[in-house]
Amino acid sequence: MSKTTSNSIHITKATQSKIDTVNFDDLQFGRVFTDHMFVCDFEDGQWQRPEIKPYGPMTIDPSARVFHYGQAVFEGMKAYKDNDGRVFLFRPDENFQRINKSSARMAIPEFPESYFFEGLETLLKLDSAWIKPGIGNSLYLRPFVIATEPAISASPAVTYRFMIICSPAKSYYSDAVKVIFAQKYSRSADGGVGFAKAAGNYGAQFYPTTLAQKRGYQQIIWTDANTHEYLEEAGTMNIFFRVGDKLITAPNNDRILDGVTRKSIIQLASDMGIACEVRRVSVQEIKDAAKNGELKEIFGAGTAAVVSPISAFEHDGQEYKMAMEDDSYAKIFKSRLLGIQHNEQDDTHGWRHEVV
Amino acid sequence: MSKTTSNSIHITKATQSKIDTVNFDDLQFGRVFTDHMFVCDFEDGQWQRPEIKPYGPMTIDPSARVFHYGQAVFEGMKAYKDNDGRVFLFRPDENFQRINKSSARMAIPEFPESYFFEGLETLLKLDSAWIKPGIGNSLYLRPFVIATEPAISASPAVTYRFMIICSPAKSYYSDAVKVIFAQKYSRSADGGVGFAKAAGNYGAQFYPTTLAQKRGYQQIIWTDANTHEYLEEAGTMNIFFRVGDKLITAPNNDRILDGVTRKSIIQLASDMGIACEVRRVSVQEIKDAAKNGELKEIFGAGTAAVVSPISAFEHDGQEYKMAMEDDSYAKIFKSRLLGIQHNEQDDTHGWRHEVV
């Protein structure tokens, strides 16, 4: 391994790339990682000098607080390459702000902006060959922070590790998914951590989602825990409903993640003159709209899946099927988002961030 | 290190004990660990052969699912030694059943009973010197399970690690604590994972607890997330209220942990002829009882703290102080529980489990 120093980051390059061992036509989401990873430890009350080094296992004490108390947050972002080989991130400032908002709620120290961006950019330059051009290809980036202090008292840790790992991705969920509207289980409470990308929010959904999958539904649309009468989000995606020509999506609150794809779609809808109401959405109104033919589409929006059309929902034991139109809003937004992300369409809002 | 095999567990003994480096008179909770740890991996659809080996750091992939999705559960138990050197656990069957209940909710495979008990007993025999006799001394045992599969898709892992680590303990919280009744933040939702010892339940409390501590209150008594009108639990302890000569504690539900100390106190109260009502407890009735002098005590109950008297609570900006009586129920229950645990009092319910 050769050691070099780029600005403040200490870099140890991999002696040999693994890229030739990877079949980019047959990628499962999040299973293959690039040659390098970014690591920065919080010790003695401050973030220490960041490092980039070969991707690989790390050593950690069994008493590290992340294992016992779930003091951990993450982000999901993607890098895209255009046909000229230029590399872009999409609204990375949003992810930076959100990981620190998540960290604050989980009593984790905030991460410096310069380290975040310098880390991402240096890593992307080193592993640029892993980003394949073409719509549908991307490099999924996973910044995350874990509490590493080796002591099992139930209080905030004094040491942490911030990391970025990268995994090449093809588009996630190519087929339409069927969902269940939650009636028994819940994702988050008022006054809880649902708005944060806190690790524990995700593991808590696995069991109810497994139950749904056994019944033929891939995901759950979570409802408010108090009444199960209002539709909130899908756990890894925010949710949009098209009733007539109008879009409706739930407002952000302390239970719902402030999704970057969600807020981009709200802006794009405004650009295109599509009415979009951000307000509480009741299960009853969506069932009524399905019955009277006004419900045209439901789709999920998130970094991993971009826009994911939903072909049916179940509630109270009844399944409601959606017509999947060729001119759907889901297709329009997906095409527009991918066009901007891959530098094939005008970026009127300055969302692309070129990595140079 | 010498290698031996005890029944099904593969044992690698530490070459030298660290015990002489430890000051048992000055122990901070959960910072010092014994010479050995128990490790059992779930792979290929089953729990593999368990191991006991020297306590130390382990190697894990940065993409291990526990770091990203908080798929992790734990237990807290204690081992006690009497003056004849006999070692006891307290109701370990309750912890065994609960860790599997927690695991089921977090989509983690259940752990075999024989591995759990054989693991605990073998570990305790090896590290028996770390259990000091005398009321107040114990060895805190931390069984836990983490998702180890190196893949960041948001679904249940296919590989896990079950571990037991052990930390010598003096009594936790010797002083009475002051608490705040939660009015903004929440611990768990109906239909969520509050009843499970899921890692993420604990990290989510750190930030609100830090805010409370800045105002001079050590802990929060969580209320129901919907209305904040009913008192539930303290996050690391269940809560009892003494109004007149009567005890009141909240019923178990999907938000509240089914505490072993809690259920033992309910039984002991029955044994002693103390009325104990298990029902919803409203903030208003406790404030009213405090105002009219009927509120005699509030105390927490949990494995780490045993019984922890509360000297004051705050609600709506007002502090209510409790008289701390010498003949408090808190002292009576603590003394009775410690007496049973340390084999100094009759174990009428068969709660002691001797390690032989």
Side-chain angles (χ1 to χ4, degrees), chain A residues 90-195:
Chain A
F90 182 73
R91 309 186 77 175
D93 47 319
E94 296 283 343
N95 301 96
F96 169 69
Q97 283 160 26
R98 193 171 59 187
I99 199 167
N100 277 345
K101 207 171 150 192
S102 298
S103 286
R105 181 61 181 84
M106 295 301 288
I108 293 172
E110 295 187 14
F111 197 65
E113 186 168 8
S114 61
Y115 283 19
F116 183 82
F117 281 96
E118 204 195 330
L120 277 173
E121 302 215 350
T122 311
L123 200 51
L124 287 173
K125 274 178 266 181
L126 277 172
D127 286 342
S128 174
W130 292 79
I131 317 169
K132 299 299 180 190
I135 297 284
N137 295 317
S138 63
L139 185 66
Y140 183 83
L141 307 171
R142 171 55 61 89
F144 65 105
V145 197
I146 55 173
T148 52
E149 188 187 1
I152 54 169
S153 53
S155 58
V158 298
T159 63
Y160 296 88
R161 176 163 287 185
F162 183 104
M163 301 185 78
I164 306 173
I165 59 176
C166 314
S167 176
K170 298 288 279 187
S171 48
Y172 202 63
Y173 310 126
S174 36
D175 297 329
V177 298
K178 290 168 69 175
V179 300
I180 285 180
F181 290 176
Q183 292 186 272
K184 177 178 177 189
Y185 293 102
S186 304
R187 180 181 169 275
S188 65
D190 285 327
V193 301
F195 70 93

Side-chain angles (χ1 to χ4, degrees), chain A residues 105 182 184-198 200-202 204-205 208 220-228 230-235 251-257, chain B residues 105 186-194 201 204 225-226 255:
Chain A
R105 181 61 181 84
K184 177 178 177 189
Y185 293 102
S186 304
R187 180 181 169 275
S188 65
D190 285 327
V193 301
F195 70 93
K197 282 189 90 76
N201 288 341
Y202 294 79
Q205 297 177 55
I220 295 172
I221 297 188
W222 297 105
T223 51
D224 68 296
N226 300 3
T227 66
H228 296 297
Y230 294 94
L231 294 156
E232 303 210 316
E233 58 145 287
N252 291 330
N253 58 31
D254 59 3
R255 299 184 304 272
I256 301 183
L257 191 79
Chain B
R105 181 60 182 85
S186 304
R187 181 180 168 275
S188 66
D190 285 327
V193 302
N201 288 342
N226 300 4
R255 299 184 306 272

Side-chain angles (χ1 to χ4, degrees), chain B residues 20 46 57 65 75 100 106 114 124 179 295 314:
Chain B
D20 291 339
Q46 59 186 332
R65 225 159 280 193
E75 270 302 319
N100 278 345
M106 295 301 287
S114 61
L124 286 172
V179 300
L295 182 68
E314 191 259 23

Side-chain angles (χ1 to χ4, degrees), chain B residues 50-264:
Chain B
E51 263 192 288
I52 286 177
K53 56 185 180 182
Y55 183 91
M58 59 189 179
T59 295
I60 186 165
D61 202 90
S63 67
R65 225 159 280 193
V66 60
F67 295 137
H68 302 271
Y69 305 129
Q71 204 188 0
V73 299
F74 70 94
E75 270 302 319
M77 342 175 34
K78 282 179 175 170
Y80 309 88
K81 190 175 270 178
D82 73 6
N83 291 321
D84 297 328
R86 293 163 70 190
V87 173
F88 300 93
L89 293 166
F90 182 73
R91 308 187 77 175
D93 48 318
E94 295 283 343
N95 301 96
F96 170 70
Q97 284 160 25
R98 193 170 61 185
I99 200 167
N100 278 345
K101 206 171 153 193
S102 299
S103 286
R105 181 60 182 85
M106 295 301 287
I108 294 172
E110 295 185 17
F111 197 64
E113 187 168 9
S114 61
Y115 284 19
F116 183 83
F117 282 95
E118 206 196 327
L120 277 173
E121 302 213 350
T122 311
L123 200 49
L124 286 172
K125 273 178 265 180
L126 276 170
D127 286 341
S128 173
W130 293 78
I131 317 169
K132 300 298 178 190
I135 296 284
N137 295 317
S138 64
L139 185 66
Y140 182 83
L141 307 171
R142 170 56 61 90
F144 65 105
V145 197
I146 56 173
T148 51
E149 188 187 0
I152 55 170
S153 53
S155 59
V158 299
T159 63
Y160 296 87
R161 175 163 288 184
F162 184 105
M163 301 184 76
I164 306 172
I165 58 178
C166 315
S167 177
K170 298 287 279 187
S171 48
Y172 203 64
Y173 308 128
S174 34
D175 298 328
V177 299
K178 291 168 68 176
V179 300
I180 285 180
F181 290 176
Q183 292 187 271
K184 177 178 178 187
Y185 293 102
S186 304
R187 181 180 168 275
S188 66
D190 285 327
V193 302
F195 70 93
K197 281 188 91 76
N201 288 342
Y202 294 79
Q205 299 177 55
F206 290 172
Y207 174 70
T209 303
T210 300
L211 295 182
Q213 286 168 348
K214 283 184 184 151
R215 294 172 51 207
Y217 298 88
Q218 289 78 46
Q219 296 208 29
I220 294 172
I221 297 188
W222 297 104
T223 51
D224 68 296
N226 300 4
T227 67
H228 297 295
E229 286 175 14
Y230 294 93
L231 295 156
E232 302 209 318
E233 58 145 287
T236 57
M237 305 190 292
N238 294 108
I239 292 291
F240 286 83
F241 302 88
R242 175 183 175 182
V243 176
D245 287 333
K246 185 176 68 184
L247 273 180
I248 315 171
T249 193
N252 291 330
N253 58 31
D254 58 5
R255 299 184 306 272
I256 301 182
L257 190 81
D258 183 13
V260 180
T261 309
R262 171 186 174 278
K263 72 170 64 169
S264 302

Side-chain angles (χ1 to χ4, degrees), chain B residues 262-283:
Chain B
R262 171 186 174 278
K263 72 170 64 169
S264 302
I265 287 174
I266 292 170
Q267 180 62 56
L268 292 176
S270 165
D271 295 353
M272 296 174 190
I274 295 172
C276 181
E277 296 178 2
V278 180
R279 60 163 173 85
R280 295 212 301 178
V281 189
S282 77
V283 171

Side-chain angles (χ1 to χ4, degrees), chain A residues 181 229-231 241 243 246 248 277 279-292 294-295 313:
Chain A
F181 290 176
E229 287 175 12
Y230 294 94
L231 294 156
F241 302 88
V243 176
K246 187 178 68 185
I248 316 172
E277 296 178 2
R279 61 163 174 83
R280 296 212 298 179
V281 190
S282 76
V283 171
Q284 193 57 53
E285 79 175 284
I286 296 303
K287 286 168 67 170
D288 290 346
K291 283 174 193 159
N292 70 25
E294 282 287 291
L295 182 68
F313 70 88

